[in-house]
Amino acid sequence: MLRSIGYHVISTFAIIAGVSLGLASCYSHGVTTCGQEDSATSALRGSVMVKYGIDETPPPGESVKPGADSLVFVELCDLYSENPDPSKAHPNYRYSALVDDAGKFSVDVPKGRVGLHTLLDGYLYGFKLATDSTTSDIVVTAEALNGRPTPTVSAFAVTPTDASEGSELRFTLTAKSAANDPLSDEVLLAEPVSGLARAFAPPRRGQQGKGFPDGQWTATLTAPAPGTYTYYAQAVSEGCAVSNRLDVQVVVR
């Protein structure tokens, strides 16, 4: 992601609770960089709007429309928080929602400061900092791609596809950048019914703001309560272009 639009080159979250860039072995994906995962939860509500593309004719006086089917990822702690170890998945991407036909979304998240990231095929990525997750009617806006090349994702798979509640689900995904626009660390996994999300871990170490490698990315999540779930995967480039979206189903018993 182009960090000139909000990335903190030096983050106060780079050293939290004894975890530093020089002590990567102490870093765990089980905790966020600010401890916000332990806060009480409440509903985060908002909407996603997308701008009309150059090949569309908007109704008179209108420039945006509901971003139906957008995925919303909630980054705890901040927007563009520093990852203590860029060889691993960013720990702060924890929650997700799927936007309805009216452009609305809602998901229960720990109270506090959050970054919102929206991903929809055919559009650039949308982003918004919410200093208070309980603020009503948070609006995130995304622009049309207008012909810009995008990264691609393929070979999305999960093991097992038939799981027991509380067991580990392991996801793999192949991500490839577009020419002259490397992948960002926002290669993301979402399950909107449970509201859970995770970032994928890169195949090799990358650098926030400068790019991450093509190849097989991996992620893990704990299987939720019994039911049938659809998990979605999507990637974002450093130039903010959003990839195609893939999905897999898991039955939890």
Side-chain angles (χ1 to χ4, degrees), residues 57-83:
T57 302
E62 295 186 15
S63 60
V64 295
K65 59 184 177 180
D69 294 325
S70 294
L71 283 173
V72 179
F73 290 88
V74 181
E75 175 189 3
L76 301 184
C77 304
D78 207 347
L79 179 68
Y80 304 138
S81 55
E82 186 82 14
N83 185 348

Side-chain angles (χ1 to χ4, degrees), residues 37-215:
E37 72 277 8
D38 296 326
S39 300
T41 60
S42 66
L44 184 153
R45 296 185 177 90
S47 59
V48 177
M49 305 300 292
V50 295
K51 294 185 178 181
Y52 285 91
I54 57 176
D55 58 347
E56 297 179 291
T57 302
E62 295 186 15
S63 60
V64 295
K65 59 184 177 180
D69 294 325
S70 294
L71 283 173
V72 179
F73 290 88
V74 181
E75 175 189 3
L76 301 184
C77 304
D78 207 347
L79 179 68
Y80 304 138
S81 55
E82 186 82 14
N83 185 348
D85 184 355
S87 69
K88 297 182 180 180
H90 198 303
N92 293 354
Y93 293 92
R94 291 303 185 92
Y95 297 90
S96 66
L98 188 64
V99 174
D100 67 19
D101 290 344
K104 303 292 186 182
F105 69 89
S106 177
V107 59
D108 288 343
V109 305
K111 295 179 182 179
R113 185 181 181 93
V114 300
L116 303 180
H117 308 256
T118 69
L119 279 64
L120 181 63
D121 298 29
Y123 294 87
L124 296 175
Y125 136 105
F127 59 95
K128 180 101 173 196
L129 172 65
T131 56
D132 180 358
S133 60
T134 64
T135 302
S136 60
D137 197 25
I138 300 170
V139 180
V140 187
T141 302
E143 296 187 10
L145 281 169
N146 292 327
R148 288 182 55 174
T150 67
T152 56
V153 292
S154 61
F156 182 35
V158 58
T159 304
T161 56
D162 194 316
S164 57
E165 181 179 4
S167 64
E168 182 180 88
L169 302 174
R170 185 177 186 273
F171 299 85
T172 56
L173 174 77
T174 299
K176 181 176 177 56
S177 60
N180 303 314
D181 189 6
L183 295 168
S184 73
D185 59 346
E186 291 177 67
V187 179
L188 302 174
L189 171 72
E191 200 300 295
V193 173
S194 66
L196 299 178
R198 285 294 188 272
F200 283 87
R204 299 179 304 283
R205 187 181 184 91
Q207 185 174 354
Q208 284 180 283
K210 294 188 176 181
F212 283 74
D214 294 356

Side-chain angles (χ1 to χ4, degrees), residues 169 191-195 223-231 248-252:
L169 302 174
E191 200 300 295
V193 173
S194 66
T228 300
Y229 297 89
T230 300
Y231 290 82
V248 293
Q249 280 198 333
V250 175
V251 176
V252 182

